Amino acid sequence: MITINENYLKLQASYLFADIARRVAACEEKHPEKDVIKLGIGDVTRALPAACITAFHKAIDEMADDATFRGYGPEQGYDFLRKAIAEHDFQSRGAAIDADEIFISDGAKCDSGNIQELFARDITIAIPDPVYPVYVDTNVMAGRTGGFVDGRYRKIVYLDSTKENGFLPALPQQPVDLIYLCFPNNPTGSVITKEELQKWVDYARREKALILYDAAYESFISDPDLPHSIYEIDGAREVAIEFRSFSKTAGFTGTRCAFTVVPKESTAWDRNGNSQSLHALWNRRHSTKFNGVSYPVQRAAEAVYSAEGQQQCRERINFYRKNAELILSTMENLGFACVGGINSPYIWVEGGMDSWEFFDLLLDRAGVVCTPGAGFGSCGEGFIRISSFNSHDKVTAAMARIRAALPAEPGESPVRHTDG
Ligand code: MLT
């Protein structure tokens, strides 16, 4: 008899964004006249940069000719892309990362899930709350979390990110082995300074722990003092793995290209206390289970680093930043307390009511889709996340609809937060 991985039965409902898509589809079916505006999942709307398209076409033409055709590529990614990343994203910021420490993949979501295959099942994991749900769910699937009791998995050490701590979790009170951090943060949009990040790196070194650092939103950082990479921090090479993606930086959500940085010094221990190279283990895993990202996609990603590619990506980021500014100012003017939206494409809004109720209210009254904060963890209750990824016209229309849908006078709204 074929039996299942029982850990899957511990998962809560469906994947957050699938759940939202289902609710939105039901609303659209019931009210086909409603032109629903989607500011829920962070999915880009602008076309790929022209430099990427040119490189993409050229690479496809190469694939059409026997003389230039390519079959299997290196599992870790082509050198041309790994070198461009190492130089532009790391070495130029003083972060000593070599091309062979970069592993090209089809997504930071997959990598952040797959990486935990390298670690023992009985390690202690620390995960912020609220958080990108993939970190939690993939550990549930692996059997590392225990059962779900009173809204939380028993064995996870939750790092609460709340209004009180400025959405920057404190260091864990107990020893942990694996720590997830994401900055600029999804979903709150909060950021971390070099000084604060140094404390996490020092903690990991002291405790022989490892940090999984998700920097998928680093291109939204506008403050020159904030770190774009954990490798800008002293000592991080031994204790951190970083995830990056072209999805939000260059509009690759549908094209698929990302990378994971695993420095050669990064270490975990076997049960006899011998240190083991995470670079070697990940290389083994990657080359066994993955056959690389397609050649044309890697050429398109390489073009991100050309002068035109850089300028075109910047133009897109600035485009979404303007949307974020409008969302932030609209929600603040309506009296809601907000964070994010400055070094981040996401605005985290305190609704002062159940977050799914607020989600339904915006969907029903304004025809606007957001993401309910509770979907990111119990500390997300009472909040919603609004994404700036859409056209200016749609974001402007969505904000006008929200203004019209919520009563104008402070105190009249069932959702307005009065001390914002
Ligand atoms: C989000 O909306 O949180 C992200 O777009 C989801 C993802 O990157 O997978």
Side-chain angles (χ1 to χ4, degrees):
M1 181 176 70
I2 176 73
T3 53
I4 62 156
N5 173 356
E6 296 270 333
N7 293 312
Y8 275 66
L9 303 180
K10 297 179 192 152
L11 290 165
Q12 298 308 295
S14 52
Y15 180 58
L16 173 64
F17 294 107
D19 205 10
I20 292 171
R22 218 177 12 257
R23 285 183 187 227
V24 174
C27 170
E28 285 176 323
E29 200 182 319
K30 206 160 137 207
H31 302 286
E33 75 293 350
K34 222 178 214 170
D35 172 26
V36 173
I37 300 176
K38 295 177 180 142
L39 304 179
I41 190 165
D43 192 4
V44 292
T45 54
R46 293 283 308 274
L48 289 178
C52 300
I53 289 295
T54 306
F56 218 162
H57 278 297
K58 186 163 170 278
I60 286 171
D61 288 341
E62 286 177 50
M63 298 298 266
D65 185 339
D66 285 349
T68 48
F69 169 80
R70 308 214 183 195
Y72 291 125
E75 293 93 352
Q76 299 80 355
Y78 285 100
D79 275 349
F80 60 76
L81 180 55
R82 300 172 90 192
K83 280 187 181 143
I85 292 169
E87 190 186 321
H88 292 269
D89 283 336
F90 297 98
Q91 292 158 9
S92 71
R93 293 190 182 279
I97 292 297
D98 288 331
D100 62 358
E101 296 175 311
I102 289 162
F103 294 82
I104 310 297
S105 78
D106 58 347
K109 174 177 172 176
C110 328
D111 283 354
S112 69
N114 291 333
I115 195 86
Q116 36 101 12
E117 212 178 279
L118 304 190
F119 310 116
R121 215 178 58 172
D122 58 357
I123 57 167
T124 306
I125 48 172
I127 304 188
D129 179 357
V131 81
Y132 182 42
V134 172
Y135 310 156
V136 173
D137 286 359
T138 52
N139 277 291
V140 175
M141 291 169 180
R144 212 170 269 128
T145 61
F148 193 71
V149 181
D150 296 334
R152 287 191 149 179
Y153 288 98
R154 272 189 313 105
K155 291 200 205 153
I156 293 180
V157 173
Y158 287 93
L159 304 171
D160 290 355
S161 310
T162 61
K163 210 160 87 165
E164 289 66 40
N165 61 24
F167 302 96
L168 209 61
L171 293 174
Q173 295 300 304
Q174 63 193 96
V176 299
D177 306 308
L178 187 66
I179 302 160
Y180 287 80
L181 293 179
C182 171
F183 290 106
N185 187 257
N186 180 14
T188 67
S190 65
V191 291
I192 192 162
T193 62
K194 287 184 181 160
E195 294 68 33
E196 287 298 322
L197 194 49
Q198 184 73 60
K199 292 181 192 164
W200 287 94
V201 168
D202 293 346
Y203 172 94
R205 293 173 68 88
R206 215 169 41 239
E207 300 292 336
K208 290 188 163 174
L210 183 79
I211 298 170
L212 297 180
Y213 194 75
D214 185 346
Y217 298 95
E218 60 77 32
S219 55
F220 282 85
I221 294 175
S222 49
D223 181 337
D225 293 331
L226 294 174
H228 286 246
S229 164
I230 196 166
Y231 304 116
E232 291 174 51
I233 307 301
D234 285 344
R237 282 182 58 84
E238 290 90 337
V239 293
I241 284 175
E242 182 165 304
F243 304 109
R244 290 276 191 109
S245 167
F246 292 98
S247 285
K248 315 291 153 82
T249 309
F252 274 54
T253 54
T255 308
R256 309 309 306 150
C257 197
F259 57 93
T260 289
V261 187
V262 189
K264 296 202 195 83
E265 291 94 318
S266 62
T267 302
W269 282 264
D270 62 27
R271 67 169 60 150
N272 298 317
N274 301 314
S275 69
Q276 299 289 343
S277 159
L278 288 171
H279 183 274
L281 294 178
W282 184 243
N283 191 43
R284 186 70 172 82
R285 192 256 171 222
H286 209 63
S287 43
T288 303
K289 293 197 174 183
F290 189 62
N291 254 337
V293 172
S294 81
Y295 172 69
V297 167
Q298 292 194 59
R299 280 293 187 199
E302 180 195 21
V304 164
Y305 299 102
S306 65
E308 315 81 67
Q310 288 286 284
Q311 189 272 326
Q312 291 156 7
C313 288
R314 243 190 331 269
E315 186 269 323
R316 278 158 176 76
I317 299 290
N318 287 337
F319 175 92
Y320 296 122
R321 272 192 187 131
K322 277 214 171 69
N323 288 345
E325 270 170 36
L326 176 62
I327 296 168
L328 183 59
S329 65
T330 304
M331 298 312 282
E332 285 186 336
N333 285 337
L334 282 168
F336 294 101
C338 303
V339 283
I342 296 172
N343 293 291
S344 155
Y346 298 129
I347 297 90
W348 188 239
V349 182
E350 186 174 12
M353 69 186 298
D354 176 273
S355 65
W356 277 104
E357 231 175 275
F358 198 11
F359 169 89
D360 285 336
L361 185 136
L362 289 187
L363 184 58
D364 295 343
R365 285 207 212 159
V368 174
V369 181
C370 64
T371 308
F376 297 104
S378 57
C379 291
E381 186 48 272
F383 291 83
I384 55 160
R385 190 194 76 176
I386 305 182
S387 156
S388 64
F389 292 112
N390 212 318
S391 67
H392 285 324
D393 288 353
K394 290 218 165 144
V395 170
T396 305
M399 292 305 110
R401 287 194 205 170
I402 290 178
R403 271 196 302 269
L406 301 179
E409 290 301 315
E412 282 183 20
S413 166
V415 294
R416 185 170 287 113
H417 179 80
T418 46
D419 65 9

